[in-house]
């Protein structure tokens, strides 16, 4: 049974739009493929449990991954829905209320292009990502391109005595994560009230549990 604010203990969201790991890689892969024209099989996550063989140095391909992830607490928000029956969206499944949180996350993505046309493909990512119609790709995923590729960084790798041309590109994507939490309505509360009085008699403890709303008829 899932814990709630009434049971105590750790609670988990009832629903969340958070996308990470393989699902996030699939979204980023689709964007790089669309913006560069490279085949899907040659746009690969950098970190894989069983990495496929590295293409030879005459093949154009891309390795990508999350270089950095940062939350923006200045735009986070929490809202409680207490209507019974609830008029909130999504509907209240229990009638006890729930809370929705919104968190903003900014991902910095590293895209490393290899092959004889590595600079061309890095430039394509930069130029074609500047087109508004191409950036719309992220919108159905509750994401937005917030910083396009700046400078390309020329790198060189030597693998098995073969020299690989490589161009590194960085861009940033922001996502808004919504989560539904089983934080329910407060029905009653037992509290200690402290006031600042010069005589020191500032501690008031209610003699019993006080409901948040008066009984019907009062």
């Amino acid at each position: 049974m899932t814990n709630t604010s009434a049971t105590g203990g750790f609670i988990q969201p009832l629903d969340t739009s958070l996308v990470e790991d393989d699902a996030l890689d699939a979204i980023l892969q689709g964007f790089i493929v669309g913006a560069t024209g490279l085949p899907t099989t040659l746009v690969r996550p950098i970190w894989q449990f069983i990495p496929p063989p590295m293409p030879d140095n005459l093949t154009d391909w891309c390795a990508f991954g999350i270089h950095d992830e940062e939350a923006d607490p200045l735009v986070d928000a929490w809202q409680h829905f207490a209507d019974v029956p609830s008029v909130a969206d999504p509907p209240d499944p229990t009638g006890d209320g729930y809370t929705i949180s919104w968190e903003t996350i900014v991902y910095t993505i590293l895209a490393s292009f290899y092959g004889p046309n590595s600079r061309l493909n890095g430039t394509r990512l930069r130029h074609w990502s500047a087109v508004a119609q191409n950036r719309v790709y992220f919108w159905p995923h509750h994401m937005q391109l917030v910083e396009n590729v700046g400078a390309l960084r020329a790198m060189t790798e030597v693998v098995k005595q073969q020299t690989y041309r490589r161009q590194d590109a960085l861009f940033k994507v922001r996502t808004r994560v919504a989560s539904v939490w089983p934080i329910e309505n407060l029905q009653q509360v037992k509290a200690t009230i402290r006031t600042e009085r010069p005589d020191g008699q500032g501690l008031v403890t209610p003699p019993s549990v006080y409901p948040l709303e008066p009984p019907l008829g009062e």
Side-chain angles (χ1 to χ4, degrees), residues 40 65 82-83 87 101 117 126 155-156 160 181 189 192 194:
T40 302
D83 297 320
V87 296
S101 66
N117 296 303
R126 180 175 61 216
M155 309 290 289
T156 300
K160 295 182 180 179
W181 300 89
V189 61
T192 298
R194 293 184 180 273

Side-chain angles (χ1 to χ4, degrees), residues 21-216:
D21 301 314
D22 290 346
L24 179 57
D25 284 344
I27 295 172
L28 298 175
Q29 181 190 46
F31 178 71
I32 296 173
V33 167
T36 63
L38 286 169
T40 302
T41 56
L42 294 178
V43 178
R44 305 174 176 179
I46 295 174
W47 300 283
Q48 300 187 52
F49 289 110
I50 304 177
M54 187 174 182
D56 60 50
N57 59 353
L58 298 179
T59 300
D60 293 321
W61 65 288
C62 175
F64 70 92
I66 305 295
H67 182 268
D68 190 26
E69 177 179 331
E70 181 179 5
D72 186 354
L74 295 179
V75 291
D76 289 355
W78 291 75
Q79 184 175 357
H80 184 73
F81 294 91
D83 297 320
V84 181
S86 177
V87 296
D89 183 15
D92 187 348
T94 65
D96 295 322
Y98 61 91
T99 298
I100 297 182
S101 66
W102 291 271
E103 179 186 13
T104 298
I105 301 175
V106 178
Y107 299 106
T108 301
I109 294 91
L110 169 66
S112 296
F113 293 94
Y114 294 85
N117 296 303
S118 56
R119 179 175 294 278
L120 172 62
N121 287 317
T123 302
R124 282 176 173 171
L125 179 64
R126 180 175 61 216
H127 287 179
W128 295 0
S129 298
V131 179
Q133 183 171 325
N134 293 337
R135 297 197 303 270
V136 169
Y137 166 85
F138 282 118
W139 294 3
H141 305 290
H142 307 286
M143 302 172 73
Q144 181 181 10
L145 181 69
V146 293
E147 186 174 315
N148 203 354
V149 176
L152 296 176
R153 293 173 175 84
M155 309 290 289
T156 300
E157 289 188 24
V158 178
V159 180
K160 295 182 180 179
Q161 299 182 343
Q162 288 187 338
T163 300
Y164 284 76
R165 295 183 59 185
R166 174 179 138 198
Q167 299 286 332
D168 284 352
L170 293 173
F171 63 96
K172 292 185 178 183
V173 174
R174 180 171 59 208
T175 185
R176 187 78 160 159
V177 178
S179 300
V180 180
W181 300 89
I183 301 175
E184 302 175 350
N185 303 331
L186 285 176
Q187 304 296 330
Q188 57 185 11
V189 61
K190 181 184 291 185
T192 298
I193 303 173
R194 293 184 180 273
T195 62
E196 296 182 2
R197 289 178 49 178
D199 58 3
Q201 302 298 316
L203 182 61
V204 180
T205 301
S208 61
V209 175
Y210 283 77
L212 296 181
E213 298 180 358
L216 294 178

